Each structure stands twice: as structure tokens, then as C-alpha cells.
Amino acid sequence: MDVEVAVIPAAGRGTRMRPATRVVPKALLTVVDRPAIQYAVEEAARAGASEAVIVVDLDTGHLVQQHFLVEGRLPGLEEIRIRPVVQEEPLGLGHAVWEAREMVRDRPFFCLLADNITPPGVDVLPQLARVADPDKSVMCLRRLSDEMLSAYGVVIPASEEEDAVLEIAGAVEKPGPKDAPSRLGLIGRYLFTPEIFPILEKTEPGVGGEIQLTDAIHELGRRGKARGYVADTDLLDVGTPLGLLEASVVLGLDRFGDEFRSFLKEVCGH
Ligand code: G1P
């Protein structure tokens, strides 16, 4: 399936990254030499998207927009059109995605959470497009450890996994190890059909009083319209201080190679 549009929610204020995010939006925190959100836009462009709908908040959205639009196009991103949309109130991730409906219209779309960066040389969006069916949304999944079951959405499988693909009957947001219906977690990469928009419109606030994307995925699953693709690699999570540091090391090693590797060895004492 060819997917021409990507939705990138970037309205989160980054409470886990305070004080860095008191003024600077989370999406603009630097990883090596570019803001976190630029990695997501580059990934969408590599997967063939020609439009990136970035959902920003009212206070800092103009900064995100300026990053992409000042002084012409960023090198490597000449082929992708950046289209900002403002989420006026912080009502949750599901609501942020819903805000993109008028720009997406009736097209299937990738959704990328900018907190998660794919490691160098790893791309999962082409796999989601490969296993897509015009009628079904595809979620990228990973097997989670116990601690992670409280930090991620977790799916209810409806079939056995075959060649990394399975059907999904529903999903639960951050269930914790006791209530988790499986160990397969949603890791921030999705390929949705436009059927998600009317579902999001009716989705009531869930965990944390927020309109949860996971609850809309649950409804897709209930209708038999959700599929999972189990990725064979973890994404880098830049939404926490330790994760940001780890991502900087992984991407720094890729960028600077032996020079940085020797520095790390020296710091670690061997
Ligand atoms: C969000 C989603 C959750 C998903 C996670 C992936 O949570 O609500 O379902 O598993 O992203 O990173 P957040 O990290 O914004 O709390």
C-alpha cells in the first residue's frame, strides 16, 4: 500500500523532561544535532510520505513550525510538505490525532509518535505498509518487559502470530503486569485507515482523563479491523532523561563512529 500522509503528534509538553521543557517544546529537544521531531519527519519521508501533518500545541507550536519552515526547506526534506495543525487543548493523544482529520481526509495515514526514534538503519513503516489491508489498521508492536506494561498500550491478540503478523481484538492503555492481556505493546508507529476518525470523535476520556488513541484502537479491534506487526527491534525512547541520553549515544555512535567509541571506552574505564 502507498501511504502519502503521516500524522506526527507533537503537542505534548514533556512533563517527564522538566525542567528542559519549561520553555522548549519536547519535540524540539536535541538529539545529537537535530530536534527529536525531525527524525520522525525524516522517517516518514523515507517511507514515501509526501505530507507530514504535525499536531502542535497553542503555546509552542509556532516554534516547531519555524524549525521546518525558516530559511527554506531542510536538506533531505525537500520532498515532504509540512502541515502544522494546532491542538487547542491538551485533551490527549487520541484527540491530537483526531485534529488531523481535515488534512488527512479519506486517506490511510502513518502515525508516528515523536518520542520514539528508530535506531539507525531500522525502519518499520515499510513493514506496516507491506502487511496492510485497505480495510485494516496496522499497529507496530514489541514484546514488553513487566515494567514496560505500565508505560505502554498493550494489545489483545485475536490470532497466533505468523511471520510477525497477527490479528488484534482490542487494546488496553497502560494496564500494568497484573491486568495486561498480552505482552505485546504499542510502540508509537501505526498505519491507520480513516475509519479511526469517527471512532476518535466518539471516544470518551480514559486513563488519566485523556482521550486515548489506544481506546480507539480497541474499537477497531472489536470491529475486526486491527492487525499487529511485531517489530524485531526496539525504538529509542527520547521522552525521558535516561532514554534521551541512550538515544544520543546510539545515534552519536552512528554519526561519529570510532572517535566517539574511544571516548566512551575511556569514560567507562576500559
Ligand atoms: C503513548 C500511548 C501508548 C503507547 C506509547 C508508545 O503513551 O498512549 O499507548 O504505548 O505512547 O510510546 P505515552 O508514552 O505518551 O505516555
Side-chain angles (χ1 to χ4, degrees), residues 140-169:
C140 190
L141 307 172
R142 277 291 284 164
R143 248 169 229 94
L144 303 181
S145 63
D146 270 5
E147 314 82 72
M148 290 164 92
L149 294 168
S150 308
Y152 286 76
V154 177
V155 300
I156 307 169
S159 75
E160 293 296 316
E161 188 183 321
E162 206 176 304
D163 293 334
V165 178
L166 74 158
E167 303 303 316
I168 291 175

Side-chain angles (χ1 to χ4, degrees), residues 16 26 93 113 115-116 151-154 172-174 185-188 190 212-214 217 237:
R16 286 176 295 185
K26 174 172 73 163
L93 178 61
L113 306 190
D115 267 2
N116 305 108
Y152 286 76
V154 177
V172 188
E173 179 67 0
K174 305 192 171 92
L186 298 159
I187 57 165
Y190 316 81
Q212 296 289 351
L213 185 58
T214 302
I217 294 169
D237 181 356

